[in-house]
Amino acid sequence: MTRSLRLPPLVVETREIEPVDDLLVLTDPRNPLAWLRRGEGIVGSGRPVMQMGGRGAPPMSIPLAEIWREITADARVSDPLELPGTGLVGFGALGFDPTSTTRPYLVVPSTITGVHAGRAWTTTIRREGQTDDESAAPSPEPYGPHWSATLGPGLLLPDAYQQAVRAGIEAIVAGEVEKVVLARDLIGTIPAGADLRRLVRALATNYPDTWTFAVDGLIGASPETLITVDHGTVTARVLAGTTPRGADADEDAAAAHALEASRKDLDEHRFAVTSVVEALAPLTRDLVAPDEPHLLELPNLWHLATDVSGRLSNGASALDLVRVLHPTAAVAGTPTDAALEVIRRLEPFDRGRYAGPVGWIDARGDGEWAIALRCAQIGAEQQRQFAMYSDTIPVVAHAGAGIVAASDPETELLETRVKFRPIVDALA
């Protein structure tokens, strides 16, 4: 999209409404558009006013951040609330690998409904000259029947994954990389016509402290913030280093202590933090990163976590930061380019959007973006073998582990099983 297309500018109006108990009933059951956390967030509905990229689309010749600047430059926005998620907002999902056939995707729905800090709103978005009737407020739609997925082994079986881990360790010992993140996959189907909001709801209910997202069939609950920009303040949470929770209080405390003391996990975490700080430095000021990580407690895992903060500079936006941050060492490895080459060599699939950025951006350039983890792609293009079945829709899920010189293949396989649990349980 460029100015030469001379599309009419967007007209955006946000107005406050009565509190909303369940945002998900306002989005499409077959293709939900949502960004939720702790009962708050935004959902999209209605016909897209603007949509670009996605699975099977041609490569973009202009960076997504530049396209968004063009879209917002002419937009007429009335936003008296100025809360996170009000005004003109685009929902996006990007592929993990720049060479992937899954292109960056960005959509602006005709209606956005949101809740933040006890206040609720509706935003209507239309092209200049379009009647208000074409962007009418959404009506709640009751949830459809419960459903479950059928999942099984993917292209990288457990034994083959351990072989890939050994090959990754060999690449590290050979000096090719310092760290590489290797993933494996599960594939399956869900019933055609399934109400996908049920999957979103299950993840949001069971993992309220994560970012629960649904964008173009990519549905998940990520614990890892890639970047948040709020009125120019930049924050990023780095997660690297993981262990399962214990079965009781004593075992759980021992697991947490072992993670804090693990040289392997601390090294993996240090690589990830360094990559984020180096990427953010040119576009920010007053950047701060603690010397030591803290423990992040999730229902099924302990993570080592570091919160990085700073201020935007040089007129950058959240999408500019996404571009320079991704892929981080936490999901690719170190050095990044070399790690990507190892991943392409050892993983027998295209990750698609798994471990790629997912989130939203507004007209100010603010936004929230997470790394698409603990997720599944519904209707994944790479699962064409399921196209013959008219009563099912394909689904693919991935989980990975960071490999360093001290890694143990069996332990890394166990880590992927633990990371699969949130999305597998929700699909079941």
Side-chain angles (χ1 to χ4, degrees), residues 356-377:
V358 60
W360 60 268
I361 186 169
D362 70 11
R364 294 186 299 267
D366 290 352
E368 294 174 325
W369 292 79
I371 298 175
L373 305 172
R374 321 296 193 265
C375 61
Q377 178 70 59

Short mmCIF file of all heavy atoms in Angstrom, two decimals, residues 356-377:
data_model
loop_
_atom_site.label_atom_id
_atom_site.label_comp_id
_atom_site.label_asym_id
_atom_site.label_seq_id
_atom_site.Cartn_x
_atom_site.Cartn_y
_atom_site.Cartn_z
N GLY A 356 6.90 -15.82 16.26
CA GLY A 356 6.95 -14.52 15.62
C GLY A 356 6.19 -13.49 16.46
O GLY A 356 5.51 -13.82 17.42
N PRO A 357 6.27 -12.20 16.09
CA PRO A 357 5.55 -11.16 16.83
C PRO A 357 4.05 -11.19 16.55
O PRO A 357 3.62 -11.39 15.42
CB PRO A 357 6.17 -9.86 16.30
CG PRO A 357 7.46 -10.27 15.64
CD PRO A 357 7.19 -11.63 15.09
N VAL A 358 3.26 -10.95 17.60
CA VAL A 358 1.81 -10.83 17.47
C VAL A 358 1.36 -9.73 18.42
O VAL A 358 1.87 -9.62 19.54
CB VAL A 358 1.11 -12.17 17.78
CG1 VAL A 358 1.40 -12.66 19.19
CG2 VAL A 358 -0.40 -12.06 17.57
N GLY A 359 0.43 -8.87 17.98
CA GLY A 359 -0.01 -7.79 18.85
C GLY A 359 -0.79 -6.72 18.12
O GLY A 359 -1.46 -7.00 17.13
N TRP A 360 -0.67 -5.47 18.61
CA TRP A 360 -1.44 -4.37 18.01
C TRP A 360 -0.63 -3.08 18.07
O TRP A 360 0.31 -2.95 18.85
CB TRP A 360 -2.78 -4.18 18.71
CG TRP A 360 -2.72 -3.85 20.18
CD1 TRP A 360 -2.74 -4.73 21.23
CD2 TRP A 360 -2.60 -2.53 20.77
NE1 TRP A 360 -2.65 -4.06 22.42
CE2 TRP A 360 -2.56 -2.71 22.18
CE3 TRP A 360 -2.53 -1.24 20.25
CZ2 TRP A 360 -2.46 -1.64 23.06
CZ3 TRP A 360 -2.41 -0.17 21.13
CH2 TRP A 360 -2.38 -0.37 22.52
N ILE A 361 -1.02 -2.13 17.21
CA ILE A 361 -0.40 -0.81 17.18
C ILE A 361 -1.50 0.22 16.95
O ILE A 361 -2.49 -0.06 16.28
CB ILE A 361 0.67 -0.72 16.08
CG1 ILE A 361 1.41 0.63 16.15
CG2 ILE A 361 0.08 -0.97 14.69
CD1 ILE A 361 2.65 0.69 15.28
N ASP A 362 -1.31 1.44 17.53
CA ASP A 362 -2.31 2.48 17.34
C ASP A 362 -1.72 3.64 16.54
O ASP A 362 -0.57 3.61 16.10
CB ASP A 362 -2.90 2.93 18.67
CG ASP A 362 -1.92 3.72 19.55
OD1 ASP A 362 -0.84 4.12 19.06
OD2 ASP A 362 -2.25 3.96 20.73
N ALA A 363 -2.55 4.68 16.36
CA ALA A 363 -2.15 5.80 15.50
C ALA A 363 -0.99 6.59 16.07
O ALA A 363 -0.26 7.27 15.33
CB ALA A 363 -3.36 6.73 15.28
N ARG A 364 -0.78 6.53 17.39
CA ARG A 364 0.36 7.23 18.00
C ARG A 364 1.65 6.46 17.85
O ARG A 364 2.72 6.98 18.17
CB ARG A 364 0.08 7.46 19.49
CG ARG A 364 -1.06 8.41 19.81
CD ARG A 364 -1.14 8.68 21.32
NE ARG A 364 -1.40 7.44 22.05
CZ ARG A 364 -2.62 7.02 22.39
NH1 ARG A 364 -3.69 7.73 22.03
NH2 ARG A 364 -2.78 5.90 23.06
N GLY A 365 1.57 5.21 17.41
CA GLY A 365 2.75 4.35 17.37
C GLY A 365 2.92 3.52 18.63
O GLY A 365 3.86 2.75 18.75
N ASP A 366 2.00 3.70 19.61
CA ASP A 366 2.00 2.85 20.80
C ASP A 366 1.47 1.47 20.45
O ASP A 366 0.81 1.29 19.42
CB ASP A 366 1.11 3.46 21.89
CG ASP A 366 1.69 4.73 22.50
OD1 ASP A 366 2.85 5.06 22.19
OD2 ASP A 366 0.98 5.39 23.29
N GLY A 367 1.71 0.52 21.31
CA GLY A 367 1.18 -0.81 21.07
C GLY A 367 1.75 -1.83 22.02
O GLY A 367 2.64 -1.53 22.83
N GLU A 368 1.22 -3.04 21.92
CA GLU A 368 1.69 -4.17 22.71
C GLU A 368 1.93 -5.34 21.77
O GLU A 368 1.04 -5.70 21.00
CB GLU A 368 0.65 -4.56 23.77
CG GLU A 368 0.45 -3.49 24.83
CD GLU A 368 -0.68 -3.82 25.80
OE1 GLU A 368 -1.69 -4.42 25.36
OE2 GLU A 368 -0.55 -3.47 26.98
N TRP A 369 3.13 -5.93 21.86
CA TRP A 369 3.48 -7.06 21.02
C TRP A 369 4.12 -8.15 21.87
O TRP A 369 4.99 -7.86 22.70
CB TRP A 369 4.44 -6.63 19.90
CG TRP A 369 3.77 -5.73 18.91
CD1 TRP A 369 3.51 -4.40 19.06
CD2 TRP A 369 3.22 -6.11 17.65
NE1 TRP A 369 2.84 -3.91 17.97
CE2 TRP A 369 2.65 -4.94 17.08
CE3 TRP A 369 3.17 -7.30 16.93
CZ2 TRP A 369 2.02 -4.95 15.84
CZ3 TRP A 369 2.55 -7.31 15.69
CH2 TRP A 369 1.99 -6.15 15.16
N ALA A 370 3.66 -9.36 21.67
CA ALA A 370 4.22 -10.52 22.35
C ALA A 370 4.87 -11.44 21.33
O ALA A 370 4.73 -11.25 20.12
CB ALA A 370 3.12 -11.26 23.11
N ILE A 371 5.58 -12.44 21.82
CA ILE A 371 6.11 -13.49 20.96
C ILE A 371 5.10 -14.62 20.95
O ILE A 371 4.65 -15.07 22.01
CB ILE A 371 7.48 -13.97 21.46
CG1 ILE A 371 8.48 -12.81 21.42
CG2 ILE A 371 7.98 -15.13 20.62
CD1 ILE A 371 9.84 -13.15 22.01
N ALA A 372 4.72 -15.08 19.78
CA ALA A 372 3.65 -16.07 19.64
C ALA A 372 4.14 -17.45 20.10
O ALA A 372 4.66 -18.25 19.33
CB ALA A 372 3.17 -16.15 18.20
N LEU A 373 3.97 -17.69 21.40
CA LEU A 373 4.33 -18.96 22.02
C LEU A 373 3.07 -19.59 22.60
O LEU A 373 2.03 -18.95 22.71
CB LEU A 373 5.35 -18.73 23.13
CG LEU A 373 6.63 -18.00 22.74
CD1 LEU A 373 7.46 -17.69 23.98
CD2 LEU A 373 7.44 -18.82 21.75
N ARG A 374 3.16 -20.87 23.01
CA ARG A 374 2.02 -21.61 23.56
C ARG A 374 0.79 -21.40 22.68
O ARG A 374 -0.28 -21.03 23.14
CB ARG A 374 1.71 -21.18 25.00
CG ARG A 374 2.91 -20.89 25.88
CD ARG A 374 3.80 -22.09 26.15
NE ARG A 374 4.72 -21.77 27.23
CZ ARG A 374 5.97 -21.30 27.05
NH1 ARG A 374 6.44 -21.12 25.82
NH2 ARG A 374 6.75 -21.05 28.08
N CYS A 375 0.98 -21.62 21.39
CA CYS A 375 -0.06 -21.26 20.42
C CYS A 375 -0.26 -22.35 19.38
O CYS A 375 0.51 -23.30 19.28
CB CYS A 375 0.32 -19.95 19.72
SG CYS A 375 1.86 -20.03 18.79
N ALA A 376 -1.31 -22.17 18.60
CA ALA A 376 -1.58 -23.05 17.46
C ALA A 376 -2.07 -22.20 16.30
O ALA A 376 -2.72 -21.18 16.50
CB ALA A 376 -2.63 -24.10 17.82
N GLN A 377 -1.73 -22.62 15.10
CA GLN A 377 -2.25 -21.98 13.90
C GLN A 377 -3.40 -22.82 13.38
O GLN A 377 -3.22 -23.99 13.02
CB GLN A 377 -1.18 -21.84 12.83
CG GLN A 377 -1.67 -21.21 11.53
CD GLN A 377 -1.99 -19.72 11.67
OE1 GLN A 377 -1.12 -18.93 12.03
NE2 GLN A 377 -3.23 -19.35 11.41
#
